[in-house]
């Protein structure tokens, strides 16, 4: 067994079960260290901490999986996958149907760092963000198929993370049946076209399910502006459930906007318009025209992909929310989100306070929300509390 020894005074987070062991905490590695090699981690004093998988190509040098000195064998992976799926079935009451969708395994939150799995009806999509896990691909795919009884499994990797991990880019590789090119799902009573092989991440952003419904409650009779609208989730919920007067959505992705338009037609919604554009340019033009909205939704992509990017991310959130306030009518509602796990809730709220100060407007937080329950937060890994959604009234 390869032995990883930590530097002095670096062991505490890992005794507390944080799953990421960065290269800067390691004193030495004794034994083979090819990507995917199983290792035992010890403190500087020689005390056993955990078992994990090493990847010398990644800043996250070791991902930790179990805190007893037992092997990471097939029985271990089977048990972890079963626990994750059982949580959704028994505790959350998720029953897979032809048009339902749910996250059934959430990486660090389900103590399987580097593996995320979503289920869409009879198909599952697995996204791997760890080269060490990819080396166990065939076993993991087989165990997922056995536990879920899915008709097919599509494997994908994230391009930006692939570069950091040394992962080969996999846009989509399927075992079992191929999913339909244009799969239909239903969420909160709203239907969507989902492309499992070509959509962002695993095809749809399931983490915002409950937030889309919550924001819709503030939409009654309002003009809605949905920024970074992707396939129209927030806007369509505002129109279908919130009885909004009209919704205008923008996204930089032309395929996403095409899907949003198709989803509006699918749901019989005529009071929605979706356009392609750079969001900051769009906000500038809307302000120049003097347009105002009763509800503005900001759901941008991740701004901070590493610790060094946090300051830039906070400046980006400040600029975005400051400009959003300029097109929000007095007494209007701002729903603003951040999916950057490295930006904590307090820092994000502080940025919003700065935006209100610069705009000379009072901001009252009505709801401080996170992801839907199928994306649980692991207390020993604060980064799993990545999604922040603040619903605010602005004076």
């Amino acid at each position: 067994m390869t032995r990883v020894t930590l530097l002095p005074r670096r062991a505490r987070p890992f005794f507390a079960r944080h799953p990421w062991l960065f290269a800067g905490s390691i004193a030495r590695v004794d034994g083979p260290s090819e990507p995917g090699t199983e290792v035992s981690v010890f403190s500087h004093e020689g005390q056993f901490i955990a078992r994990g998988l090493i990847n010398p190509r990644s800043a996250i040098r070791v991902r930790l999986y179990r805190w007893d000195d037992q092997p990471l064998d097939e029985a271990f992976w089977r048990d972890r996958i079963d626990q994750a799926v059982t949580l959704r079935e028994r505790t959350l009451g998720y029953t897979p149907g032809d048009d339902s969708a749910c996250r059934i395994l959430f990486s660090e939150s389900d103590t399987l760092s580097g593996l995320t799995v979503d289920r869409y009806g009879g198909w599952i999509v697995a996204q791997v963000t760890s080269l060490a896990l990819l080396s166990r691909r065939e076993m993991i795919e087989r165990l997922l198929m056995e536990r879920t009884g899915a008709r097919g499994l599509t494997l994908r990797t994230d391009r930006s993370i692939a570069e950091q991990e040394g992962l080969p880019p996999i846009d989509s590789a399927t075992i079992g049946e191929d999913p339909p090119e244009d799969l239909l799902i239903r969420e909160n009573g709203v239907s969507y076209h989902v492309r499992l092989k070509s959509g962002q991440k695993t095809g749809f952003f399931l983490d915002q399910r409950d937030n889309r419904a919550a924001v819709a409650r503030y939409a009654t009779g309002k003009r809605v502006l949905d920024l970074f609208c992707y396939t129209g989730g927030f806007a369509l919920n505002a129109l279908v459930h919130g009885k909004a007067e009209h919704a205008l959505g923008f996204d930089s992705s032309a395929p996403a906007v095409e899907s949003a338009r198709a989803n509006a037609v699918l749901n019989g919604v005529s009071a929605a318009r979706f356009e392609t554009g750079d969001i900051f340019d769009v906000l500038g033009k809307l302000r120049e025209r003097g347009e105002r909205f009763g509800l503005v939704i900001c759901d941008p992509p991740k701004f901070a992909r590493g610790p060094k990017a946090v300051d830039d991310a906070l400046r980006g959130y400040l600029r975005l929310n400051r400009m959003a306030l300029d097109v929000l009518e007095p007494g209007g509602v701002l729903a603003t989100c951040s999916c950057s796990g490295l930006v904590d809730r307090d820092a994000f709220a502080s940025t919003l306070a700065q935006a209100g100060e610069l705009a000379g407007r009072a901001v009252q937080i009505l709801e401080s929300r996170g992801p839907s329950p199928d994306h649980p937060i692991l207390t020993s890994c604060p980064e799993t509390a990545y999604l922040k959604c603040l619903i605010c009234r602005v004076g």
Side-chain angles (χ1 to χ4, degrees):
M1 179 64 63
T2 296
R3 181 183 179 110
V4 175
T5 302
L6 302 184
L7 290 166
R9 297 182 296 279
R10 296 294 181 90
R12 182 174 180 181
F14 312 111
F15 278 121
R17 301 199 172 206
H18 196 289
W20 297 342
L21 174 51
F22 287 92
S25 294
I26 296 175
R28 67 180 186 274
V29 177
D30 299 311
S33 59
E34 291 79 17
T37 299
E38 186 174 339
V39 301
S40 288
V41 178
F42 292 82
S43 69
H44 181 71
E45 295 79 13
Q47 185 176 358
F48 172 81
I49 299 174
R51 286 271 187 107
L53 301 178
I54 195 168
N55 179 8
R57 304 178 188 176
S58 173
I60 304 177
R61 192 56 48 90
V62 180
R63 293 178 187 263
L64 303 178
Y65 293 101
R66 66 184 308 168
W67 278 259
D68 55 12
D69 201 7
Q70 298 297 318
L72 299 176
D73 55 12
E74 183 170 320
F76 165 80
W77 301 105
R78 178 183 289 109
D79 179 65
R80 287 292 172 85
I81 289 170
D82 178 67
Q83 287 185 42
V85 177
T86 299
L87 166 64
R88 278 72 179 180
E89 291 175 344
R90 296 184 182 176
T91 304
L92 301 180
Y94 169 69
T95 304
D98 290 340
D99 61 354
S100 61
C102 177
R103 175 147 295 180
I104 60 172
L105 197 156
F106 185 28
S107 195
E108 288 79 17
S109 287
D110 287 300
T111 59
L112 282 176
S113 177
L115 178 65
T116 295
V117 184
D118 288 341
R119 179 160 190 160
Y120 298 88
W123 286 268
I124 54 179
V125 182
Q127 186 174 56
V128 175
T129 56
S130 161
L131 181 60
L133 277 192
L134 194 64
S135 66
R136 290 159 171 75
R137 169 182 171 179
E138 291 184 2
M139 177 190 66
I140 289 172
E141 288 177 334
R142 173 169 51 81
L143 294 176
L144 284 168
M145 291 290 284
E146 289 175 1
R147 177 60 181 84
T148 63
R151 296 168 62 178
L153 180 151
T154 297
L155 182 73
R156 301 183 64 178
T157 57
D158 184 294
R159 288 180 180 272
S160 61
I161 297 176
E163 295 175 2
Q164 300 169 21
E165 280 281 316
L167 281 164
I170 302 174
D171 287 331
S172 63
T174 301
I175 61 172
E177 294 182 36
D178 271 330
E181 180 67 24
D182 198 7
L183 183 72
L184 288 181
I185 66 166
R186 193 166 177 83
E187 177 196 273
N188 299 334
V190 180
S191 298
Y192 301 91
H193 298 274
V194 178
R195 296 177 179 175
L196 302 187
K197 289 188 172 184
S198 60
Q200 294 181 32
K201 299 295 184 180
T202 67
F204 195 70
F205 293 105
L206 297 170
D207 52 359
Q208 292 280 28
R209 177 195 301 112
D210 293 351
N211 294 333
R212 286 188 274 263
V215 171
R217 295 197 293 267
Y218 299 89
T220 305
K222 292 183 172 67
R223 292 185 72 222
V224 176
L225 178 62
D226 187 1
L227 303 171
F228 307 96
C229 66
Y230 191 47
T231 56
F234 276 103
L236 293 176
N237 273 264
L239 289 163
V240 173
H241 297 300
K243 306 303 179 186
E245 176 187 323
H246 183 269
L248 177 61
F250 289 94
D251 199 280
S252 61
S253 167
V257 168
E258 289 177 9
S259 293
R261 292 169 179 166
N263 289 335
V265 173
L266 179 65
N267 289 279
V269 172
S270 59
R273 193 171 95 242
F274 297 100
E275 302 291 344
T276 305
D278 176 86
I279 300 305
F280 292 100
D281 290 344
V282 165
L283 283 170
K285 292 175 181 176
L286 291 173
R287 179 180 57 192
E288 289 174 5
R289 296 203 299 261
E291 295 210 39
R292 295 292 181 269
F293 300 85
L295 171 62
V296 176
I297 302 150
C298 298
D299 185 22
K302 185 185 293 186
F303 279 3
R305 294 192 174 274
K308 294 181 180 178
V310 170
D311 288 343
D312 285 342
L314 291 172
R315 283 189 287 269
Y317 289 126
L318 176 59
R319 181 186 176 205
L320 174 63
N321 286 287
R322 172 66 184 86
M323 295 181 74
L325 294 180
D326 283 342
V327 296
L328 186 67
E329 65 185 27
V333 172
L334 172 68
T336 183
C337 307
S338 163
C339 62
S340 299
L342 294 170
V343 174
D344 65 33
R345 190 170 293 270
D346 287 343
F348 186 56
S350 178
T351 298
L352 184 58
Q354 292 177 55
E357 180 182 354
L358 291 172
R361 302 183 68 177
V363 178
Q364 298 168 296
I365 297 176
L366 306 178
E367 297 187 43
S368 181
R369 306 178 59 88
S372 52
D374 52 347
H375 297 64
I377 295 168
L378 184 67
T379 57
S380 60
C381 184
E383 293 85 353
T384 58
Y386 70 102
L387 181 63
K388 286 76 63 179
C389 177
L390 303 181
I391 304 176
C392 313
R393 186 244 183 208
V394 180

